[in-house]
Amino acid sequence: MSPATTTASTTRRPRAWWRRIRSFSVEDLFSTKRPPGPPRTIYVNQPLPTDYHDHRGRVKHEHVYNSNQVVTSKYTILTFLPRNLMEQFRRIANLFFLGLAILQFFPKFSTISPGVVILPLVIILALTALKDGYEDIKRHQSDKAVNQSIVKVLSGGHANPNAVKSKSKTFVRGLIPRSRSGKGVNSDSEFDYDASSGSTACWKDTTWEDVRVGDFVKLRGDRPFPADILICATSDDENVAYVETKNLDGETNLKSRNALPALTDLRDANACANATPFRVQCDRPENNMFRLNATVTVAGQRVPVDLQTILLRGTILRNTDWVIGVVLFTGEDSKIIMNSGSTPSKRSRVEKEMNPQVLINLAILGTLATICAIADSTLEKHYFPLGAPWLFADDQSDDNPSINGLITWAFALLTFQDIVPISLYLSIEVVRTLQSMFIYFDKDIWYAKTNQPTLARSWNLSDDLGQIQYIFSDKTGTLTQNSMVFRQCSVGGRAYTGDPDPSSDSDDDSSSIEVKKQRISAYAASLPSSSRATSSNVVLPPKVKDTGYKFQDTILKMDIEAALSEDAAEDSDPEKTAHARSLYGFFSVLALCHTVVAATDKQTGAIEYRAQSPDESALVQAAADMGFVFLGRDRETLSMRTPSSEEPERYELLNILEFNSSRKRMSVVLKKLDGDDDRLFLLTKGADNVIFDRLKPGAEDLKAETGRHLSAFANEGLRTLTLAYKVISYPDYISWSERYHEATVSIEDREDKIDAVSEELEKDLRLLGATAIEDRLQDGVPETIADLKRAGIKIWVATGDKLETAIAIGRSTNLVAADSNIIIVRGGGSKPVGNQMADAMSRFFPEVTDMEIPRPGTPALDKVYPLSRVETGMSVVGENNGERPGGFILVVDGAALTQAFSSEASQKLLLRLGTLCEGVICCRVSPLQKALIVRLVKDNLKVMTLAIGDGANDVSMIQAADVGVGISGEEGLQAANSSDYAIGQFRFLKKLLLVHGHWSYARNGTLILNFFYKNVVPMGIKFWFQIYNGWSASFVFDYVYILFWNSLWTLLAVVGIGLFDRIVDAQVLMDLPELYHYGREKYWFSMKDFYIYMFDGLYQSVIIYFLIVYGTFSPTSRSDGYDQYLYEFSTTMAIAGVMVANIFTGMAASAWTWWLVFAVSFGITLVWGFTFIYSTISPGYAVTNLYGNYYFLSTSALFWLAIPLVFFLSLAPRYIAKAWKFGFSPDDIDIVRWIRKKDPYRDLRHDSSTHLGIGLTVMKQNRGRRTSVISRRSSRASSLMTLNDPYGPGSVLDIRAASRTDMSTGLVSVDRGFDFATEENGVAMRRMQTNLSERRRSQLPPPLAHALDSPPTSPTSSKKGKEPSRHIFSLRRGIMKKKGSRFSSE
């Protein structure tokens, strides 16, 4: 082996050893999770094979599955003591205190009783353990609420042979006996008999934790699933179930799942109990949320199983009455649990930064002890030969200068041990506990709707809340309410922005309401009297179930009524006639182009819409609000009631051209029934650029106006859709239908062929308008995010939703401003993700020179992918593309993240690109990817991170961050149970960070610094005494003053700062989020401040010791001429030291409240009282060293002179420094305090003079940038001013969105807010397509039906130019007098 190789290997070995030490984790040591087991075979209604058992007849270990008990807590009854002690002894100081306690068990070094010596350490460990145990009990209680949930499990006549591990004895279960339910054994609520009479099989109420692999379970609607379950049968006739998966992937649209065809006969308990034996062979458990491979073998036939037939834990059953299934994976083997980690043991940054400071103090302690040892040994060696009497017999083996030096070193450790105060950790724990109580009792962050307070589940992280630099947020349920509402629309080039919310009490909204009313009155007056509809013109629509929100626009209603009036159709004004047709067509498309199912409530008779897509539900509901009510579908017949007709209009659904991510549109082909019109109609909705590209030439003004409206909608963060239609002749349709059928039965490239044929029909469309839907936000989300950004906190959103949805939410929440430039990085395409990021760096950040931009080295991947500019609609990206003042927002999808995390170079590039952008949005990400994103930022940038979410898919992210915040959502408590803080609403995060976090960090930082400082004072005095005491390591004070220094004399002052200090008022911190930069920049606790405080303590010890010593012995201060006794001048030093330390601590406070005054004065008052009372105790009662001091000190002129002299001299430097800083170099907080004092009622949030021209540098920088703070109400109201009013003259403002660059394709476009959530290629859609195909063939003549079954080799192309120039939505004359078809010629 070469020397170089040897050197390299020896270098790697220490590094590997050190890396293993640094990576050591207490969580890993006590983790109960095991690696995923081998592939499993689940046996149902049959015994296990003999090879599953060992020689003792027990099931082998590899075939014993995890129980369904899920534990998010840290401790069990067995691991609590060892794990908690290991966590506490990660503190270096605790190890030091333990060593000192052990040292004093030796009689040679004992100062007091050894039991008393170790008692403080035991108390600290015990109290901390009690606190940790209480926190964990709360976790166990939350776990119990989940594990004790009830599900119906098959019982009676069925034995499950599959073996399951026993449940763990948790901390709570071990201490508190499990309470039995009061339900009777035969109660109707516990047992569900749905089989025929005489059967013993039934469904029994069973807790989630008792569900086993291989159990049959019956799941009810609107309830979550307890495990990963194979679907056997559902309440649907075609065995389809709809599930809500937002807890897993963040998507709000429902997913359809189907039962396994081989098991659909298992529809009741009796059928399940007597089912033909079968087995399920599964792959090993894995955390991939989108993959599951298994097979079911029944009656000798193997049937494949995939995720389409699986219900995953964490999802919820919707629009389905019940589902019967077999449990495949439970507990830690279920996918959602495998994507979450074990509960970590988190330590605050302040506590971590204390360790180096403790090490410095230990080094100082070791240095002082070594100095004393060397000096004492040297003096003994010098004076022993001279016959010094105190060194008599100093030549023994256990008593000589060398040995005595070592003994003196040990004694010095005990003498100066208070430089590392044992009470510091106890004080911090008490303060943090009380700070958590302050958070709990704060009514401003108490969610009244659910009576949910903000709960601190980890009490030791309060100061971390004041140092957050990055926030990682989920979207669904965290930022949004999981509710879609129809907000605005554009019809025929006229914008309808909705009526302002009258419930709003803000000044802006109130003024907007008045403006709207005035314009409505003016518009109504401008209408001819003949155009004003009366109540007799409008047919009352059927009752639709109230969803909590109803779209209202007075002007739109007036236009619809005018369009329905008798004179509207006869009006000679072609513009009004065309707009009337557009209105009817627009809402007809909303009411008919969808896959919504209408159901009638049996009790109220109201129509209830059930939809997989929340967008479709909102669109259909909006049409119903305007009188165009979708009544339902009878197989392929759609019914709609319009405002003008008493009888419903019926349409035959011929085709559905599905929505997918590439088409970005959905179309339906309809035929009007009950009429003589043989035309067919294509109704389309989709993305603006897709629809605009397929419009019929002409109507450029309408396109331009609609494009401007779309841009305005997008700037408000609304999700937009563009609507269009087309008239199709019957012969053209028949010709196209043949080609469409041929594509649907194609074996190769079926999807591409279907898209191509669909493209033939979806062209030459006529534009109707656009819709704007709001993904309703949680209250106060936009304002909260805007203020957090002002505080300098970077916000990254990680969601499972698709890209368009994520961008739309980014806009509505202020994460993406109106002028922000969006950079999109996608995976799965031909262009590598590394190249996309490298191109983005080169194009948008050419000034970055601090890193080399890596690119993949393969030549095939290094080809140039040029960026190109494209036009979408009528808007063109300007020349300053990529240079807007709004900065950049990076959008990355899950596939791109998978590639980016594959190498260290691409990780660094992703991180650099992300940090250069104002915000990052990660879409289509898995739960594990969320955690990886957090760790990428936290581990590489060494910044403080906070993750917030509400679902089970957010648990891993919450646990990976420094601080995890869970929202106690309506869909479960998975996130809250695993979090450090549980809140009711996202908006509470603002006060939690800006006020409670900032206060706690400032208080705790000042507390710790003052704790170190106040112990340097007595340590310094004792050290200076060694100079005059032969370096013997003796105490200068009476031991009672040392004993009570950190408890009675000085403790309450520093604790008072930790509890009652206020840097500024809470309202100021809320009004000026920029002040949070003090926390982000570690202003309140740093090594610099540590050294300054240590120097202050050292300086004060010099003043106190030497002034009093030289004053006392020059020559003497006693009137009788005797020298002062040691404890006379040391008591003076003790009193002076206590006074100086307490007042100095008080000077470090920002606000002197009465509580703080009491805390500071308590120790001073107590030491004076104690000194004079204790020194009066006669030796007849107890022997003390201080007897008589009450007389000697009270009569000593030096005592009364020395106290004020050393007091003022000690505090003078700090007082002068503070006065100079406030008067000549004030910082932002000093200025705000002064403003608050002089003008306590000034509005700091809105008064610009508060922060202009007075030196608030940070504030001026932040306020100087134009920020868009969108409030949903104000944005709707203001849109009345920005959009072209439908009732008055005026031009629309040219609202130009910033650029959107897709790095995977190089296309640069304008983002107009398109978004539409629906399941692609789901079971329900396939079922509808099959029914349509069968119905179409059954209704065609035999020759044509045969032709469709056997497509011709040369399909007939559609004739062009034959379409009649008639509009689909024309209004007939005398429409209210004569009932007839709505679709007639002009």
Side-chain angles (χ1 to χ4, degrees):
M1 183 180 293
S2 65
T5 306
T6 305
T7 304
S9 61
T10 55
T11 304
R12 282 194 299 267
R13 274 197 294 268
R15 288 179 181 176
W17 173 79
W18 175 246
R19 193 180 301 114
R20 283 195 297 270
I21 292 179
R22 291 191 61 184
S23 62
F24 172 76
S25 173
V26 176
E27 300 90 60
D28 295 339
L29 190 62
F30 290 93
S31 176
T32 58
K33 287 194 173 185
R34 61 177 178 83
R40 64 179 61 183
T41 300
I42 303 163
Y43 291 86
V44 182
N45 286 355
Q46 58 180 308
L48 297 178
T50 56
D51 59 351
Y52 268 47
H53 300 82
D54 59 17
H55 64 284
R56 296 183 180 180
R58 295 177 301 185
V59 179
K60 295 179 180 178
H61 176 73
E62 60 268 21
H63 302 303
V64 178
Y65 310 123
N66 280 327
S67 72
N68 204 38
Q69 182 188 43
V70 174
V71 178
T72 63
S73 53
K74 295 195 294 186
Y75 306 117
T76 67
I77 199 67
L78 296 178
T79 64
F80 175 71
L81 188 61
R83 178 170 180 174
N84 188 264
L85 287 177
M86 289 191 67
E87 290 173 351
Q88 293 201 58
F89 279 105
R90 289 187 299 182
R91 296 170 173 172
I92 296 175
N94 282 348
L95 290 172
F96 169 70
F97 299 143
L98 179 64
L100 289 183
I102 294 174
L103 182 65
Q104 294 189 67
F105 270 86
F106 295 96
K108 183 77 173 177
F109 305 104
S110 178
T111 54
I112 54 177
S113 172
V116 176
V117 170
I118 203 171
L119 185 61
L121 178 61
V122 172
I123 292 175
I124 290 174
L125 296 177
L127 290 178
T128 304
L130 287 175
K131 186 262 299 182
D132 293 340
Y134 177 78
E135 290 178 0
D136 210 54
I137 285 176
K138 291 297 183 182
R139 294 191 186 95
H140 279 283
Q141 291 173 346
S142 300
D143 291 340
K144 182 179 179 182
V146 175
N147 291 326
Q148 297 292 315
S149 300
I150 299 298
V151 66
K152 297 287 186 181
V153 175
L154 183 64
S155 176
H158 168 74
N160 183 359
N162 300 281
V164 176
K165 288 182 177 180
S166 60
K167 294 177 292 187
S168 65
K169 278 283 187 178
T170 63
F171 188 68
V172 174
R173 188 187 299 274
L175 296 179
I176 304 174
R178 178 179 174 182
S179 59
R180 293 290 181 183
S181 174
K183 294 189 294 185
V185 175
N186 297 319
S187 63
D188 294 336
S189 60
E190 185 176 359
F191 295 93
D192 180 8
Y193 292 89
D194 59 1
S196 59
S197 176
S199 172
T200 59
C202 63
W203 301 106
K204 179 183 178 182
D205 283 350
T206 306
T207 59
W208 278 21
E209 64 181 359
D210 291 326
V211 172
R212 303 168 57 200
V213 172
D215 277 344
F216 281 104
V217 293
K218 186 173 184 178
L219 309 156
R220 298 292 185 181
D222 298 324
R223 296 186 183 179
F225 304 128
D228 294 348
I229 299 168
L230 171 65
I231 307 175
C232 295
T234 78
S235 58
D236 185 79
D237 292 338
E238 300 188 23
N239 286 301
V240 176
Y242 296 94
V243 296
E244 186 180 81
T245 62
K246 61 188 177 187
N247 263 343
L248 298 184
D249 55 24
E251 294 189 3
T252 55
N253 57 287
L254 301 184
K255 307 293 195 310
S256 56
R257 299 288 185 263
N258 61 286
L260 196 70
L263 303 177
T264 53
D265 58 324
L266 307 180
R267 303 187 65 84
D268 55 45
N270 188 45
C272 293
N274 299 297
T276 302
F278 64 91
R279 66 179 184 270
V280 186
Q281 294 173 289
C282 306
D283 278 348
R284 62 184 300 174
E286 61 175 344
N287 55 30
N288 190 329
M289 304 290 295
F290 309 104
R291 182 177 63 201
L292 188 146
N293 294 321
T295 59
V296 171
T297 304
V298 54
Q301 295 183 350
R302 299 185 66 188
V303 182
V305 175
D306 57 17
L307 272 181
Q308 196 59 50
T309 57
I310 298 295
L311 302 173
L312 297 180
R313 178 178 178 134
T315 58
I316 301 173
L317 187 65
R318 299 292 191 197
N319 295 350
T320 310
D321 293 334
W322 54 263
V323 168
I324 293 176
V326 176
V327 177
L328 300 185
F329 298 100
T330 55
E332 294 179 359
D333 289 336
S334 59
K335 288 187 177 293
I336 188 62
I337 303 301
M338 293 190 71
N339 274 270
S340 61
S342 58
T343 303
S345 299
K346 295 183 179 180
R347 302 168 63 203
S348 70
R349 174 192 270 185
V350 168
E351 184 177 332
K352 294 175 184 176
E353 291 177 347
M354 276 175 55
N355 273 346
Q357 297 175 356
V358 170
L359 286 174
I360 292 174
N361 281 356
L362 289 177
I364 295 174
L365 174 61
T367 301
L368 298 183
T370 302
I371 292 174
C372 289
I374 294 174
D376 178 63
S377 179
T378 303
L379 289 175
E380 287 193 19
K381 290 178 180 179
H382 175 73
Y383 285 104
F384 180 72
L386 301 178
W390 63 87
L391 297 177
F392 179 76
D394 201 20
D395 56 355
Q396 308 299 315
S397 60
D398 59 345
D399 185 8
N400 58 68
S402 299
I403 293 298
N404 289 342
L406 186 61
I407 295 174
T408 300
W409 182 84
F411 268 118
L413 292 180
L414 300 176
T415 300
F416 304 121
Q417 64 174 301
D418 50 4
I419 192 174
V420 183
I422 191 171
S423 57
L424 169 60
Y425 291 100
L426 178 60
S427 302
I428 292 177
E429 296 293 346
V430 171
V431 166
R432 285 173 173 165
T433 300
L434 294 177
Q435 288 171 351
S436 299
M437 294 178 62
F438 294 159
I439 294 174
Y440 180 86
F441 289 111
D442 188 346
K443 292 298 180 181
D444 291 339
I445 51 178
W446 189 300
Y447 191 33
K449 181 180 178 181
T450 58
N451 197 29
Q452 171 68 39
T454 296
L455 180 65
R457 300 171 62 86
S458 297
W459 295 352
N460 62 330
L461 300 177
S462 57
D463 39 61
D464 278 353
L465 293 172
Q467 308 172 71
I468 301 300
Q469 295 162 279
Y470 281 79
I471 291 178
F472 298 86
S473 175
D474 177 44
K475 180 195 78 70
T476 307
T478 302
L479 303 178
T480 64
Q481 298 183 26
N482 307 327
S483 172
M484 304 291 180
V485 293
F486 189 95
R487 286 298 187 188
Q488 304 179 20
C489 62
S490 171
V491 184
R494 191 173 296 179
Y496 299 97
T497 58
D499 294 340
D501 188 354
S503 63
S504 173
D505 50 5
S506 68
D507 295 337
D508 294 340
D509 289 345
S510 299
S511 62
S512 300
I513 293 173
E514 293 302 321
V515 171
K516 180 81 172 183
K517 288 180 178 179
Q518 295 174 8
R519 297 189 177 189
I520 291 172
S521 301
Y523 179 63
S526 68
L527 291 174
S529 59
S530 60
S531 298
R532 300 175 194 170
T534 63
S535 59
S536 62
N537 297 132
V538 181
V539 178
L540 294 178
K543 185 178 180 181
V544 179
K545 184 176 180 180
D546 184 16
T547 59
Y549 172 80
K550 185 174 183 179
F551 176 66
Q552 293 181 341
D553 190 292
T554 305
I555 295 175
L556 177 57
K557 286 185 176 180
M558 294 169 65
D559 281 351
I560 293 176
E561 291 172 358
L564 296 175
S565 66
E566 180 178 355
D567 294 334
E570 299 175 352
D571 199 315
S572 59
D573 188 351
E575 182 180 349
K576 292 184 178 179
T577 304
H579 190 66
R581 285 196 302 268
S582 296
L583 285 170
Y584 184 86
F586 181 87
F587 287 103
S588 295
V589 173
L590 292 185
L592 297 173
C593 183
H594 56 74
T595 58
V596 175
V597 176
T600 303
D601 192 311
K602 296 180 180 179
Q603 296 180 349
T604 64
I607 297 175
E608 179 183 1
Y609 294 128
R610 297 178 177 177
Q612 287 183 261
S613 167
D615 294 88
E616 285 196 332
S617 180
L619 294 174
V620 176
Q621 183 68 43
D625 293 340
M626 290 296 106
F628 293 79
V629 181
F630 173 64
L631 301 178
R633 67 177 74 238
D634 181 9
R635 294 186 67 84
E636 282 71 48
T637 301
L638 310 181
S639 299
M640 176 183 70
R641 177 76 64 80
T642 64
S644 63
S645 62
E646 296 179 358
E647 296 298 327
E649 297 181 359
R650 299 192 307 138
Y651 299 87
E652 181 182 355
L653 177 63
L654 301 179
N655 294 93
I656 299 178
L657 307 183
E658 300 177 39
F659 175 94
N660 59 45
S661 55
S662 59
R663 282 171 39 81
K664 294 188 178 180
R665 63 190 182 276
M666 172 191 175
S667 301
V668 294
V669 180
L670 302 176
K671 178 183 178 182
K672 181 73 164 63
L673 301 177
D674 305 327
D676 55 358
D677 194 345
D678 63 345
R679 293 176 300 160
L680 288 82
F681 313 110
L682 176 74
L683 311 183
T684 303
K685 61 185 179 186
D688 57 284
N689 61 322
V690 173
I691 300 298
F692 275 39
D693 289 344
R694 288 158 178 79
L695 293 179
K696 190 174 184 178
E700 300 301 324
D701 292 340
L702 175 60
K703 297 178 185 177
E705 196 72 9
T706 305
R708 285 192 286 270
H709 294 166
L710 283 165
S711 296
F713 297 157
N715 287 338
E716 294 181 27
L718 301 176
R719 303 153 64 105
T720 63
L721 279 175
T722 306
L723 276 56
Y725 77 96
K726 176 184 178 180
V727 181
I728 312 171
S729 66
Y730 192 73
D732 286 346
Y733 171 74
I734 293 298
S735 175
W736 173 85
S737 183
E738 294 177 13
R739 298 192 299 278
Y740 182 75
H741 177 75
E742 183 180 0
T744 58
V745 298
S746 174
I747 300 299
E748 298 180 355
D749 301 327
R750 177 180 300 176
E751 289 77 12
D752 294 338
K753 291 180 179 179
I754 291 177
D755 289 350
V757 176
S758 300
E759 179 81 17
E760 296 177 9
L761 195 65
E762 295 170 321
K763 59 185 178 181
D764 293 332
L765 304 175
R766 295 179 183 272
L767 179 63
L768 288 170
T771 63
I773 295 177
E774 176 194 1
D775 190 351
R776 185 181 288 182
L777 301 176
Q778 301 278 2
D779 294 339
V781 166
E783 294 81 4
T784 300
I785 289 183
D787 286 338
L788 292 175
K789 289 173 67 176
R790 284 176 54 193
I793 301 173
K794 284 200 170 187
I795 301 176
W796 290 26
V797 173
T799 176
D801 255 328
K802 60 181 182 178
L803 185 141
E804 289 82 5
T805 303
I807 294 177
I809 289 300
R811 287 195 179 279
S812 62
T813 58
N814 283 327
L815 182 62
V816 181
D819 54 0
S820 293
N821 302 278
I822 301 173
I823 304 172
I824 299 175
V825 177
R826 301 177 189 261
S830 59
K831 186 175 181 179
V833 170
N835 278 358
Q836 294 183 46
M837 294 189 293
D839 287 345
M841 288 288 294
S842 303
R843 179 178 176 83
F844 301 115
F845 305 103
E847 71 280 1
V848 176
T849 58
D850 59 350
M851 69 172 294
E852 181 180 352
I853 301 177
R855 292 177 181 267
T858 308
L861 301 179
D862 283 341
K863 64 178 182 178
V864 177
Y865 295 86
L867 296 177
S868 60
R869 299 184 182 274
V870 297
E871 295 185 9
T872 57
M874 298 302 296
S875 298
V876 183
V877 177
E879 293 181 356
N880 60 338
N881 169 42
E883 299 176 0
R884 308 278 180 165
F888 295 89
I889 300 295
L890 177 65
V891 180
V892 190
D893 68 4
L897 286 175
T898 301
Q899 295 185 40
F901 284 122
S902 61
S903 67
E904 186 176 351
S906 58
Q907 289 183 37
K908 291 181 179 179
L909 184 56
L910 172 64
L911 183 62
R912 190 71 174 107
L913 182 59
T915 53
L916 289 171
C917 296
E918 284 192 346
V920 177
I921 299 175
C922 303
C923 56
R924 308 295 289 178
V925 293
S926 67
L928 276 184
Q929 284 180 321
K930 291 184 177 184
L932 291 174
I933 294 166
V934 174
R935 293 192 184 102
L936 175 70
V937 175
K938 183 179 75 170
D939 296 341
N940 289 277
L941 299 183
K942 307 300 180 184
V943 293
M944 290 296 296
T945 58
L946 179 146
I948 179 170
D950 76 318
N953 60 330
D954 304 316
V955 170
S956 57
M957 175 176 70
I958 287 173
Q959 293 175 336
D962 293 295
V963 179
V965 178
I967 294 181
S968 302
E970 300 177 359
E971 304 302 334
L973 300 174
Q974 297 96 327
N977 291 348
S978 303
S979 65
D980 303 305
Y981 291 87
I983 62 178
Q985 291 274 280
F986 181 86
R987 69 179 186 272
F988 297 155
L989 193 64
K990 176 182 175 182
K991 189 171 187 182
L992 186 65
L993 298 186
L994 302 189
V995 178
H996 289 288
H998 202 169
W999 273 355
S1000 296
Y1001 176 48
R1003 290 168 174 174
N1004 294 351
T1006 308
L1007 178 152
I1008 295 169
L1009 293 172
N1010 278 278
F1011 232 110
F1012 284 128
Y1013 146 79
K1014 74 183 185 63
N1015 284 280
V1016 171
V1017 175
M1019 183 274 300
I1021 294 173
K1022 288 184 289 185
F1023 180 73
W1024 306 130
F1025 175 68
Q1026 305 309 314
I1027 301 175
Y1028 305 95
N1029 198 44
W1031 304 96
S1032 60
S1034 301
F1035 296 118
V1036 61
F1037 305 118
D1038 184 79
Y1039 190 74
V1040 71
Y1041 286 107
I1042 298 172
L1043 187 64
F1044 292 137
W1045 181 269
N1046 281 316
S1047 54
L1048 297 177
W1049 310 144
T1050 60
L1051 179 65
L1052 206 57
V1054 291
V1055 171
I1057 282 186
L1059 294 177
F1060 308 116
D1061 189 25
R1062 292 198 307 271
I1063 45 176
V1064 286
D1065 293 338
Q1067 191 58 47
V1068 174
L1069 293 175
M1070 294 286 281
D1071 290 343
L1072 297 176
E1074 293 85 354
L1075 294 175
Y1076 191 77
H1077 78 86
Y1078 285 97
R1080 290 187 295 102
E1081 296 168 1
K1082 301 194 292 187
Y1083 177 84
W1084 303 109
F1085 188 72
S1086 64
M1087 291 301 297
K1088 175 184 175 182
D1089 292 323
F1090 171 76
Y1091 292 128
I1092 291 175
Y1093 273 81
M1094 295 288 284
F1095 179 79
D1096 267 321
L1098 188 63
Y1099 162 78
Q1100 291 171 10
S1101 70
V1102 170
I1103 296 295
I1104 293 173
Y1105 181 82
F1106 288 103
L1107 277 181
I1108 293 177
V1109 164
Y1110 283 108
T1112 301
F1113 295 101
S1114 301
T1116 179
S1117 63
R1118 293 183 54 161
S1119 58
D1120 56 8
Y1122 286 96
D1123 281 344
Q1124 278 200 343
Y1125 182 49
L1126 168 66
Y1127 293 111
E1128 291 180 36
F1129 70 82
S1130 67
T1131 300
T1132 306
M1133 294 177 185
I1135 294 175
V1138 171
M1139 291 179 62
V1140 168
N1142 279 281
I1143 297 300
F1144 182 88
T1145 301
M1147 289 173 61
S1150 302
W1152 277 68
T1153 61
W1154 285 111
W1155 285 106
L1156 190 59
V1157 170
F1158 169 77
V1160 170
S1161 60
F1162 177 81
I1164 297 175
T1165 304
L1166 195 63
V1167 74
W1168 279 88
F1170 172 83
T1171 297
F1172 283 93
I1173 294 174
Y1174 185 69
S1175 62
T1176 61
I1177 298 177
S1178 170
Y1181 293 98
V1183 178
T1184 67
N1185 295 322
L1186 303 181
Y1187 178 68
N1189 270 356
Y1190 71 94
Y1191 173 77
F1192 296 120
L1193 295 181
S1194 62
T1195 59
S1196 171
L1198 178 65
F1199 174 79
W1200 295 109
L1201 174 64
I1203 294 292
L1205 182 63
V1206 300
F1207 177 81
F1208 287 111
L1209 287 178
S1210 297
L1211 299 178
R1214 175 54 65 104
Y1215 180 82
I1216 293 172
K1218 287 176 68 70
W1220 175 270
K1221 175 179 176 296
F1222 187 83
F1224 297 97
S1225 182
D1227 58 18
D1228 296 343
I1229 288 184
D1230 293 330
I1231 296 172
V1232 171
R1233 286 176 187 160
W1234 178 258
I1235 294 173
R1236 201 67 174 172
K1237 178 179 176 61
K1238 293 298 182 181
D1239 188 1
Y1241 301 104
R1242 177 177 291 187
D1243 185 356
L1244 297 177
R1245 184 174 184 85
H1246 300 100
D1247 186 1
S1248 59
S1249 63
T1250 300
H1251 42 75
L1252 292 180
I1254 57 174
L1256 293 182
T1257 306
V1258 176
M1259 296 185 188
K1260 286 193 291 185
Q1261 290 175 349
N1262 283 276
R1263 293 300 182 111
R1265 285 194 49 205
R1266 183 169 63 86
T1267 57
S1268 172
V1269 182
I1270 298 177
S1271 172
R1272 180 62 63 200
R1273 289 174 178 170
S1274 62
S1275 65
R1276 290 203 308 275
S1278 63
S1279 63
L1280 296 172
M1281 309 294 293
T1282 59
L1283 297 182
N1284 190 20
D1285 293 326
Y1287 42 80
S1291 60
V1292 69
L1293 295 179
D1294 185 15
I1295 304 174
R1296 298 182 63 184
S1299 69
R1300 168 173 167 163
T1301 307
D1302 191 332
M1303 303 307 300
S1304 63
T1305 61
L1307 296 180
V1308 182
S1309 60
V1310 172
D1311 178 34
R1312 285 176 173 160
F1314 161 72
D1315 190 17
F1316 184 69
T1318 188
E1319 182 184 23
E1320 298 183 15
N1321 198 30
V1323 176
M1325 179 59 72
R1326 293 205 303 266
R1327 181 181 63 177
M1328 293 180 66
Q1329 295 285 28
T1330 301
N1331 293 339
L1332 286 173
S1333 178
E1334 292 176 354
R1335 179 180 176 87
R1336 187 164 55 249
R1337 287 198 301 270
S1338 66
Q1339 291 183 345
L1340 290 175
L1344 186 54
H1346 176 72
L1348 289 178
D1349 288 330
S1350 303
T1353 56
S1354 301
T1356 304
S1357 60
S1358 176
K1359 297 182 180 180
K1360 298 183 180 181
K1362 298 297 183 181
E1363 179 182 337
S1365 60
R1366 295 175 291 175
H1367 287 289
I1368 176 176
F1369 304 118
S1370 59
L1371 300 177
R1372 300 187 61 182
R1373 298 179 183 272
I1375 192 168
M1376 299 304 298
K1377 296 180 180 179
K1378 180 180 178 181
K1379 303 299 180 184
S1381 172
R1382 294 299 304 233
F1383 306 111
S1384 58
S1385 60
E1386 295 180 286

